[in-house]
Amino acid sequence: MIRFEHVTKRYADGTTAVDDLSFEVAEGELVTLVGPSGCGKTTTMKMVNRLIEPTEGRILVAGKDIAATDPVQLRRRIGYVIQQVGLFPHKTVLENTATVPHLLGTKKAAAHARAAELLDLVGLDPRTYGDRYPDQLSGGQRQRVGVARALAADPPVLLMDEPFGAVDPVVRERLQSEFLKLQSQVRKTVLFVTHDIEEAVRLGDRIAVYGEGRIEQLDAPAAVLGAP
Ligand code: ADP
Ligand code: ADP
């Protein structure tokens, strides 16, 4: 579903953030990208939705070279969740979740009904939380809205960049188990960045272990843990 072919990214200052990277993520697979800060994980992710363009190589999503795909069209098919999700402060939780499908042409009532379902799926009862504003939520609840919103356009691909990184360990643990449950139902193709090896092991079908701009190992959690 996602295929990197000899992808290199050099920034204008000469930093090589990603160096001749080739790998593939199957449809419905969740691959966690794990490694120390500055080794190219975020750069990898942002090239998939064309927030960053590769210097060399190409990236295919669903068999198509994304360089030939309009970035706006591309981003409709790729949900993106970051550490501090930016919700619209003057929209309610329900509206935040429904906005994108509504803008894409789904009728407001249908967009709201779907948003309510998704909020339920991420563990936020829409009857309790739907009418709240983002500043009336905890950090963990805001992250859930971010996940629901990313799923609202029903994208086949999800990019998650330390989505649970800013919440305390107890909440993170709960978000992880809810996300696993959710993923077992929605089966998105997911790239999930974390610097927490435990999170990578818990969530990943496979783990991509990053070193300086490269994937040093890409394997099932048990194989990664068992490595010398
Ligand atoms: P990670 O997500 O693993 O922390 P990044 O992909 O953010 O790593 O960064 C990889 C490398 O590229 C780092 O050395 C970082 O400093 C550098 N880098 C990231 N963004 C830029 C940029 N806009 N300009 C120059 N260097 C950058
Ligand atoms: P329409 O559905 O014809 O756009 P509405 O009366 O539903 O008209 O919307 C009025 C305003 O509220 C519009 O600017 C619209 O973009 C905005 N709006 C409608 N539904 C939503 C939604 N679910 N989330 C955010 N904004 C919305």
Side-chain angles (χ1 to χ4, degrees), residues 31 46 78 128 164 186 202 225:
V31 172
K46 287 186 171 173
I78 300 180
T128 308
F164 312 140
V186 297
R202 183 152 186 221
L225 289 176

Side-chain angles (χ1 to χ4, degrees), residues 91 95 98-99 102 108 112:
K91 288 183 195 274
E95 287 165 349
T99 292
H102 186 59
K108 188 174 166 181
H112 278 202

Side-chain angles (χ1 to χ4, degrees):
M1 182 60 128
I2 304 173
R3 184 179 163 93
F4 276 64
E5 293 181 350
H6 300 289
V7 173
T8 292
K9 174 63 189 181
R10 266 185 301 277
Y11 286 108
D13 66 358
T15 306
T16 302
V18 167
D19 189 6
D20 192 25
L21 190 63
S22 297
F23 72 105
E24 234 174 307
V25 184
E27 187 172 349
E29 187 181 30
L30 194 164
V31 172
T32 48
L33 314 185
V34 69
S37 171
C39 62
K41 306 182 297 296
T42 295
T43 301
T44 301
M45 297 274 270
K46 287 186 171 173
M47 288 192 286
V48 178
N49 61 4
R50 295 192 64 188
L51 290 175
I52 293 176
E53 299 292 342
T55 316
E56 285 165 40
R58 60 176 199 158
I59 300 166
L60 311 181
V61 172
K64 288 211 184 94
D65 186 345
I66 62 170
T69 310
D70 171 48
V72 175
Q73 296 289 338
L74 183 71
R75 285 172 207 150
R76 284 181 187 167
R77 293 189 289 117
I78 300 180
Y80 189 41
V81 185
I82 58 173
Q83 184 169 89
Q84 302 275 2
V85 303
L87 300 175
F88 300 113
H90 303 298
K91 288 183 195 274
T92 65
V93 164
L94 195 69
E95 287 165 349
N96 263 286
T97 310
T99 292
V100 168
H102 186 59
L103 290 176
L104 292 178
T106 305
K107 292 262 186 246
K108 188 174 166 181
H112 278 202
R114 180 62 185 148
E117 270 173 31
L118 286 167
L119 289 168
D120 226 6
L121 276 176
V122 297
L124 280 181
D125 185 340
R127 287 164 302 183
T128 308
Y129 296 102
D131 293 333
R132 290 203 193 176
Y133 289 88
D135 67 0
Q136 298 171 306
L137 300 177
S138 71
Q141 290 168 338
R142 277 197 289 274
Q143 290 308 109
R144 290 164 199 241
V145 179
V147 173
R149 186 180 57 181
L151 291 170
D154 199 21
V157 175
L158 269 188
L159 305 177
M160 306 185 75
D161 197 341
E162 304 218 27
F164 312 140
V167 296
D168 68 67
V170 176
V171 174
R172 185 180 320 155
E173 170 109 39
R174 200 176 324 135
L175 290 175
Q176 288 169 355
S177 45
E178 270 159 18
F179 181 67
L180 275 178
K181 203 166 79 190
L182 178 68
Q183 171 64 2
S184 74
Q185 297 174 35
V186 297
R187 281 272 159 231
K188 301 297 181 188
T189 303
V190 187
L191 279 181
F192 189 113
V193 167
T194 177
H195 62 256
D196 175 1
I197 184 73
E198 279 178 37
E199 183 167 72
V201 166
R202 183 152 186 221
L203 299 183
D205 296 314
R206 286 190 300 161
I207 302 178
V209 181
Y210 270 69
E212 300 265 302
R214 296 168 177 276
I215 294 178
E216 292 181 339
Q217 194 184 4
L218 177 55
D219 219 330
V224 170
L225 289 176

